[in-house]
Amino acid sequence: MKVGAVTFDAKNPEELSDFYQKLLGWKKMHNNTEDGNFIIVYSEDEKGPMLLFQEDPDYEPPVWPSEKGRQQTMVHIDIHVTKDEYEDAIRHAISCGATPAKTQFSDKWKVMIDPAGHPFCIEPLIQSE
């Protein structure tokens, strides 16, 4: 088995898919089928999972950090970069429309919030010599 895609719900899936396309530098396509309308963002080499975006008019962004009785984060993605790319990756995410989360639990990664309120992390990988 392998993970084929991670699906994000959003009130505006076009806007959210634009954000991740720009953030990751990936390709984007629409897939309208009888099973639903999805926007797909995928890497050019087509390795790894795709990101799918679907409209949910009742979508409520999660609260970060979690609060009892409030919408919880269901899943988040981690974006890995080299140690040298870390600060630039954070600046790039902000220029794409992300905001740093007000609460950070570690100085080893940065929790960011995408335009629809989903948290994601930017983490520098430790590279072997």
Side-chain angles (χ1 to χ4, degrees):
M1 287 189 278
K2 72 175 191 171
V3 175
V6 176
T7 303
F8 291 81
D9 292 339
K11 285 187 179 183
N12 187 337
E14 192 72 45
E15 175 185 63
L16 190 58
S17 63
D18 286 347
F19 167 78
Y20 280 100
Q21 178 189 21
K22 184 176 178 184
L23 178 71
L24 299 169
W26 288 4
K27 291 186 174 185
K28 177 177 163 179
M29 70 180 213
H30 290 79
N31 186 24
N32 301 317
T33 69
E34 62 187 48
D35 295 328
N37 299 323
F38 295 92
I39 302 169
I40 303 168
V41 174
Y42 60 99
S43 68
E44 193 161 345
D45 64 11
E46 298 182 12
K47 292 182 180 178
M50 298 177 288
L51 301 180
L52 303 181
F53 302 87
Q54 66 182 5
E55 183 176 7
D56 179 353
D58 297 324
Y59 170 77
E60 291 293 330
V63 175
W64 179 265
S66 301
E67 292 179 21
K68 188 174 183 165
R70 304 275 310 271
Q71 178 62 49
Q72 302 292 305
T73 299
M74 303 299 280
V75 67
H76 75 267
I77 61 172
D78 291 343
I79 297 173
H80 293 162
V81 297
T82 67
K83 213 172 187 179
D84 293 339
E85 297 169 320
Y86 180 63
E87 294 298 329
D88 286 341
I90 292 168
R91 283 191 289 277
H92 174 65
I94 292 168
S95 76
C96 291
T99 56
K102 290 179 180 154
T103 302
Q104 300 288 327
F105 293 107
S106 175
D107 59 0
K108 295 181 180 168
W109 63 82
K110 180 70 82 174
V111 179
M112 307 293 290
I113 307 297
D114 74 20
H118 300 280
F120 67 95
C121 296
I122 298 177
E123 180 179 4
L125 293 178
I126 298 171
Q127 298 174 314
S128 57
E129 301 289 323

